[in-house]
Amino acid sequence: MGDKAGTRVFKKSSPNCKLTVYLGKRDFVDHLNHVDPVDGVLLVDPEYLKDRKVFVTLTCAFRYGREDLDVLGLSFRKDLYISTIQAFPPPQQEKKPLSHLQERLLKKLGQHAYPFNFTIPQNLPCSVTLQPGPEDTGKACGVDYELRAFCAKTAEEKIHQRNSVHLVIRKVQYAPEKPGPQPMVETSRSFLMSDRSLHLEASLDKELYYHGEPISVNVQVTNNSTKTVKRVKISVRQYADICLFSMAQYKCPVAQVEADDQVSPSSTSCHVYTLTPMLGSNREKRGLALDGKLKHEDTNLASSTIVKEGANKEMMGILVSYRVKVKLVVSLGGDVAVELPFVLMHPKPTDQTSSQPQSIAPEADVAVATNLIEFDMNTPSQVDDFVFEDFARLRLTGMKDEDEPFC
């Protein structure tokens, strides 16, 4: 026995245990020029299937209304992408090359195991969940990806819960290797009965921040007017563009600082303010965009969306961006404000075989990562070195799971 940890594989079986799906990971990375393929293995019971087939469907859907409001055939859900393949019996067509994980799983699981592959189109959105309110029930609004395997004679046949498997996966993006230029903005404001103006200059120390990392905002005020700056308000705002039947934008402050730093006429001021946008201090805000959430796991604020040039935004579901707003409260003269856009994302992991986002400074209440998969490429003899982890919690004998199909 060596001290090497085995390859971690996720699995989930149908309630009657006649169908089992194996996946090496739950997060699939959008690299802008391609998306990680969804490749897994299906284990079937041929005696149970008889003359039926096994199909696997990948669906990307945008739910824009509460699930308990789906009545009279009206569903607050828009399917952005659906792809169905026949996994058993395997079709007589050109077979796709198998991944290293698939080869190992097929060798371990035996003759009744069959591979399947999906390619997620690049123009589809990343997984985003809109934070529900305390009174909301059912599935949360947002964009999610679902993998479904089921037994039927045809793909159009009604799917039964007892012989089907439902798995929620995520499409994620990592921070770009080359960040953009340092954000900086300035503005001047003239007032009535004042010959000279108030000048505001604001900047960030960089354009790209990781989740949990503090943001430093440099604010410089040159007050040549006759007005007095009473307070300085700094806020980090999340903007969510909803791309459905029409475009709509929602904004929500996720971090705020207010300072009584007065700037008298004919004087200057220079201060650095620090803010850290985190989910922990925003859990009561309904509709806040979060990174796609897997059941029974915590998540974080939604990452900034990087859109490939020329992409159709109508298919993107939810586009997330962030800005820092700097506002000067001027006595008897109105407010002076500027905004600084920046990018908030997860760093690209150093271990390329792992696709679980890692924060540079994780929040205290974030659950441990559950999508780590490690391959030891130098030890091909360790064919059976797997660690299987169930997608679902253990079901009680005889208990139906219609109420929680995504456990």
Side-chain angles (χ1 to χ4, degrees):
M1 295 291 294
D3 56 357
K4 275 285 185 182
T7 300
R8 196 171 191 176
V9 176
F10 292 98
K11 75 169 185 176
K12 187 175 182 181
S13 299
S14 59
N16 61 8
C17 298
K18 303 298 182 181
L19 193 64
T20 304
V21 175
Y22 296 85
L23 283 177
K25 55 187 177 183
R26 304 171 83 170
D27 292 345
F28 298 85
V29 184
D30 180 359
H31 302 274
L32 294 185
N33 58 351
H34 75 280
V35 183
D36 289 347
V38 181
D39 48 4
V41 170
L42 199 65
L43 183 63
V44 302
D45 184 346
E47 295 183 359
Y48 169 77
L49 294 177
K50 297 180 180 179
D51 60 339
R52 290 176 295 181
K53 303 174 183 178
V54 178
F55 300 92
V56 184
T57 299
L58 175 65
T59 304
C60 173
F62 180 19
R63 173 166 287 279
Y64 53 93
R66 283 170 27 200
E67 196 172 24
D68 57 346
L69 296 179
D70 292 354
V71 293
L72 301 177
L74 178 64
S75 176
F76 294 93
R77 168 191 170 106
K78 180 181 179 181
D79 291 333
L80 303 178
Y81 175 78
I82 301 178
S83 178
T84 302
I85 62 172
Q86 179 181 314
F88 174 83
Q92 300 298 322
Q93 62 184 16
E94 184 179 354
K95 296 182 178 180
K96 295 183 179 180
L98 301 177
S99 66
H100 183 59
L101 175 64
Q102 286 178 315
E103 292 177 350
R104 293 178 60 189
L105 281 172
L106 291 174
K107 187 171 182 179
K108 177 176 179 61
L109 298 175
Q111 60 178 342
H112 299 314
Y114 299 89
F116 63 86
N117 294 272
F118 287 98
T119 300
I120 301 178
Q122 297 180 33
N123 63 336
L124 290 182
C126 290
S127 300
V128 177
T129 299
L130 299 182
Q131 185 165 252
E135 72 284 354
D136 293 340
T137 59
K139 195 173 183 182
C141 298
V143 175
D144 61 35
Y145 289 80
E146 178 187 281
L147 198 66
R148 177 183 300 177
F150 59 95
C151 306
K153 291 185 178 180
T154 64
E156 293 77 24
E157 190 175 313
K158 181 181 178 180
I159 300 176
H160 298 283
Q161 187 76 19
R162 65 179 180 275
N163 57 12
S164 63
V165 182
H166 302 254
L167 311 96
V168 174
I169 60 176
R170 293 187 291 199
K171 178 173 177 279
V172 299
Q173 287 180 332
Y174 290 127
E177 296 182 357
K178 295 182 180 180
Q182 177 184 6
M184 184 174 65
V185 65
E186 58 182 344
T187 186
S188 295
R189 172 80 179 273
S190 297
F191 300 96
L192 188 65
M193 306 297 292
S194 179
D195 295 336
R196 307 184 71 178
S197 62
L198 170 65
H199 184 78
L200 167 63
E201 181 178 328
S203 64
L204 305 180
D205 52 349
K206 56 183 178 179
E207 189 236 12
L208 173 63
Y209 293 89
Y210 298 142
H211 288 283
E213 185 177 6
I215 299 174
S216 298
V217 186
N218 187 300
V219 179
Q220 184 170 346
V221 181
T222 302
N223 188 7
N224 294 321
S225 69
T226 57
K227 303 292 183 180
T228 299
V229 177
K230 299 174 62 178
R231 288 188 305 277
V232 179
K233 296 182 178 180
I234 315 290
S235 63
V236 176
R237 295 186 171 191
Q238 179 194 83
Y239 290 82
D241 293 323
I242 309 298
C243 311
L244 194 58
F245 306 107
S246 61
M247 291 286 291
Q249 187 179 78
Y250 298 89
K251 61 184 178 181
C252 181
V254 292
Q256 300 180 78
V257 169
E258 183 172 343
D260 294 327
D261 295 330
Q262 294 192 5
V263 185
S264 304
S266 302
S267 63
T268 61
S269 171
C270 184
H271 289 87
V272 176
Y273 304 92
T274 302
L275 303 88
T276 306
M278 299 178 73
L279 174 58
S281 55
N282 294 278
R283 292 192 180 275
E284 303 302 321
K285 294 180 180 178
R286 186 174 185 267
L288 184 66
L290 314 176
D291 272 345
K293 185 177 180 180
L294 297 176
K295 198 162 189 179
H296 311 305
E297 292 185 16
D298 208 342
T299 182
N300 48 257
L301 295 175
S303 298
S304 300
T305 305
I306 299 180
V307 181
K308 187 177 180 181
E309 188 175 353
N312 182 10
K313 291 188 176 181
E314 293 182 359
M315 294 289 292
M316 297 305 293
I318 302 176
L319 299 174
V320 179
S321 60
Y322 291 89
R323 301 176 203 167
V324 171
K325 182 176 182 179
V326 179
K327 183 168 72 172
L328 305 181
V329 179
V330 182
S331 60
L332 304 176
D335 299 334
V336 180
V338 294
E339 290 188 332
L340 297 155
F342 69 96
V343 176
L344 181 66
M345 300 191 75
H346 289 287
K348 190 173 183 179
T350 54
D351 181 6
Q352 297 300 319
T353 59
S354 170
S355 61
Q356 172 74 19
Q358 300 291 329
S359 299
I360 187 169
E363 300 182 18
D365 53 357
V366 171
V368 295
T370 59
N371 187 31
L372 301 177
I373 170 172
E374 297 181 358
F375 269 139
D376 189 352
M377 304 300 291
N378 298 322
T379 56
S381 61
Q382 295 181 346
V383 177
D384 297 335
D385 190 16
F386 288 106
V387 176
F388 294 108
E389 178 171 326
D390 290 332
F391 265 79
R393 296 174 296 176
L394 294 178
R395 299 185 181 89
L396 296 178
T397 304
M399 176 180 288
K400 295 182 179 180
D401 60 351
E402 279 81 3
D403 294 335
E404 294 192 358
F406 305 111
C407 289

